Amino acid sequence: MSVNNTISLENYASDTGSVSSVQRTRILTLIGTIIAQFALGSVYTWSLFNAGLADKLNIPVDNVAFSFGILSLSLALASSVSGRLQERFGVRRVAMAAGIMMGLALLLTSYASNITMLYICAGFLLGAADGTGYLMTMSNCVRWFPERKGTISALAIGAYGLGSLGFKYINMSLLENSGLNHTFVVWGALAAVMVVIGGLLMQDAPAQQSNVAQTNNRQDFTTAEAMRKPQFWLLAVIFLTVCMSGLYVIGVAKDIGQQYADLSLTIAANAVAVIAMANLSGRLVLGVLSDKMARIRVVSIALLASLLGIAVLLFMPMNMNNFYVAVACIAFSFGGTITVYPSLVSDFFGLNNMAKNYGVIYLGFGIGSLLGSLVATAFGGFAATFYLIFGLLALSLLISLIIKAPQLQAQHA
């Protein structure tokens, strides 16, 4: 732990009791965050429910699948305001409210009798609950560990990714044994309990002292100040590009395998497991690496990995091995970038306003989740989307190699 961060924690300890009590609070907050993130990550099992809901509502699967795009957009919008909710109500209350809302959204989804109700409950409500809890709890936890931002991001967001894998088996078992509607009820109850328990373990992180920022030749930018910097929008372009490539390919991986690569259903479906492991590996490997080298360089590595994956899809003969390598590279890049980006934003614009500043950039998650599908629909097929993603990744890689953090100024810009 650096001297400045130790001083900050000791000042906080003088108000709360002792350094040991602060350490205990930090660890409990980390544990609570991991529990909550695991439950919040369960929304990424949504593809398990597309076919069943399509049969129940007697509508095409594509219409049901669009609810996940709405969920992603709602998640991003909620994430952008979660920092302000924390300032007003505190991390514990907001996290608990997010958990209860998540449970209610899934309960209401079990009663959805038409596509409109599905979009409202499983799209807007579930996405809002997930987004409110996800970014706020992760950012708060990172602020408790300023000396290990990358590692803590990896643990928190890794739990989010692992939650999608863990709940995949939970929800598959429930679907096989209990049916569609009961699965939503049990899933909602379990997720709500986990997020509420996690929230009870959390406490709001103390604000970092200004001398921490000055020591690193940086300052804390408000969101308005950060948005006036060109670096803010360049980081936003990179983030949108990675989200577009990752979410599009992850969301239709099975279809890419069957329709684009002409692989069997079994081989194409196995891409789900490949993606889950690569996604989790990216979060852990690049998250830890970001504490050992410049985070923007870690993002450059992630962009190279995704560029390689898209290049394989575009320019290599499609067989099982090449298909798995391609989707693994893209998932690794997406998971790693999502992990590193909150700390990268704090490197550029300060730690105290990280949740709010990253929240605006995080809107690219929702936009990217829809953009790939819209391009594919407009231009008819996977190839057009792949070429667009390839160009955007090349541009983003160039940006990552030349961008510099804003320098400290005598007064806020």
Side-chain angles (χ1 to χ4, degrees):
M1 185 184 299
S2 68
V3 174
N4 287 316
N5 288 330
T6 302
I7 292 171
S8 177
L9 289 175
E10 286 179 349
N11 287 345
Y12 179 76
S14 68
D15 296 328
T16 59
S18 66
V19 172
S20 62
S21 69
V22 173
Q23 291 293 86
R24 179 176 178 272
T25 299
R26 296 207 305 170
I27 296 302
L28 287 176
T29 298
L30 174 60
I31 293 171
T33 301
I34 289 173
I35 293 172
Q37 291 282 337
F38 188 91
L40 292 168
S42 65
V43 296
Y44 284 91
T45 64
W46 183 255
S47 62
L48 297 174
F49 301 92
N50 286 337
L53 285 168
D55 290 340
K56 174 186 175 182
L57 302 179
N58 195 27
I59 56 176
V61 172
D62 288 345
N63 290 2
V64 175
F66 188 69
S67 60
F68 188 76
I70 298 173
L71 182 152
S72 299
L73 181 59
S74 181
L75 189 158
L77 290 170
S79 295
S80 69
V81 301
S82 61
R84 292 177 174 81
L85 291 175
Q86 181 185 358
E87 285 183 349
R88 182 170 181 180
F89 300 106
V91 67
R92 179 177 295 176
R93 290 179 179 177
V94 178
M96 293 172 65
I100 294 170
M101 183 177 177
M102 184 176 184
L104 288 174
L106 288 168
L107 175 64
L108 291 172
T109 299
S110 71
Y111 291 100
S113 57
N114 55 66
I115 192 67
T116 301
M117 188 174 178
L118 181 69
Y119 286 167
I120 292 172
C121 299
F124 288 109
L125 293 181
L126 185 57
D130 205 76
T132 300
Y134 163 69
L135 180 57
M136 177 202 62
T137 59
M138 182 273 298
S139 300
N140 180 72
C141 192
V142 169
R143 287 174 57 202
W144 271 113
F145 296 85
E147 76 284 6
R148 297 187 184 91
K149 292 189 290 185
T151 301
I152 296 303
S153 291
L155 290 173
I157 303 178
Y160 190 83
L162 195 60
S164 66
L165 190 60
F167 268 88
K168 172 189 174 183
Y169 296 104
I170 293 172
N171 285 342
M172 283 180 63
S173 177
L174 287 169
L175 283 170
E176 291 173 1
N177 297 302
S178 303
L180 182 68
N181 292 343
H182 186 69
T183 297
F184 281 122
V185 175
V186 176
W187 173 18
L190 182 58
V193 169
M194 291 181 70
V195 177
V196 169
I197 290 174
L200 287 171
L201 295 175
M202 300 175 197
Q203 286 196 30
D204 290 282
Q208 297 299 305
Q209 293 180 332
S210 60
N211 63 347
V212 175
Q214 293 180 9
T215 300
N216 294 318
N217 199 31
R218 300 288 182 266
Q219 67 184 28
D220 283 306
F221 290 82
T222 66
T223 302
E225 290 165 344
M227 291 175 68
R228 289 200 288 268
K229 298 294 181 181
Q231 291 95 329
F232 185 89
W233 299 106
L234 292 175
L235 290 179
V237 168
I238 296 173
F239 189 76
L240 185 148
T241 299
V242 173
C243 288
M244 178 182 174
S245 61
L247 291 170
Y248 177 70
V249 172
I250 290 171
V252 295
K254 181 176 71 67
D255 303 300
I256 293 173
Q258 285 187 276
Q259 300 173 27
Y260 183 79
D262 198 26
L263 300 172
S264 69
L265 172 61
T266 301
I267 293 175
N270 285 339
V272 175
V274 173
I275 287 170
M277 295 307 299
N279 193 332
L280 181 59
S281 298
R283 294 168 191 257
L284 297 176
V285 172
L286 296 185
V288 173
L289 185 62
S290 72
D291 280 336
K292 303 181 183 299
M293 61 185 294
R295 290 186 178 88
I296 192 64
R297 295 286 78 83
V298 176
V299 171
S300 298
I301 294 171
L303 289 165
L304 274 173
S306 192
L307 199 60
L308 173 62
I310 293 293
V312 169
L313 289 174
L314 283 173
F315 307 121
M316 296 288 288
M318 277 293 97
N319 53 46
M320 181 183 71
N321 290 334
N322 286 345
F323 172 63
Y324 287 165
V325 167
V327 296
C329 285
I330 294 166
F332 180 89
S333 170
F334 174 70
T337 302
I338 288 287
T339 299
V340 172
Y341 237 75
S343 298
L344 176 64
V345 171
S346 76
D347 290 344
F348 272 62
F349 303 108
L351 188 60
N352 287 322
N353 296 319
M354 181 180 72
K356 289 181 286 187
N357 293 337
Y358 179 52
V360 177
I361 290 177
Y362 198 78
L363 291 172
F365 182 96
I367 297 170
S369 70
L370 296 176
L371 191 56
S373 298
L374 292 175
V375 171
T377 301
F379 293 96
F382 299 111
T385 310
F386 293 157
Y387 276 111
L388 174 60
I389 291 172
F390 186 84
L392 289 173
L393 285 169
L395 174 62
S396 295
L397 177 59
L398 177 62
I399 292 172
S400 75
L401 294 174
I402 63 176
I403 191 172
K404 303 292 183 184
Q407 295 301 304
L408 183 67
Q409 300 172 2
Q411 295 179 343
H412 287 315

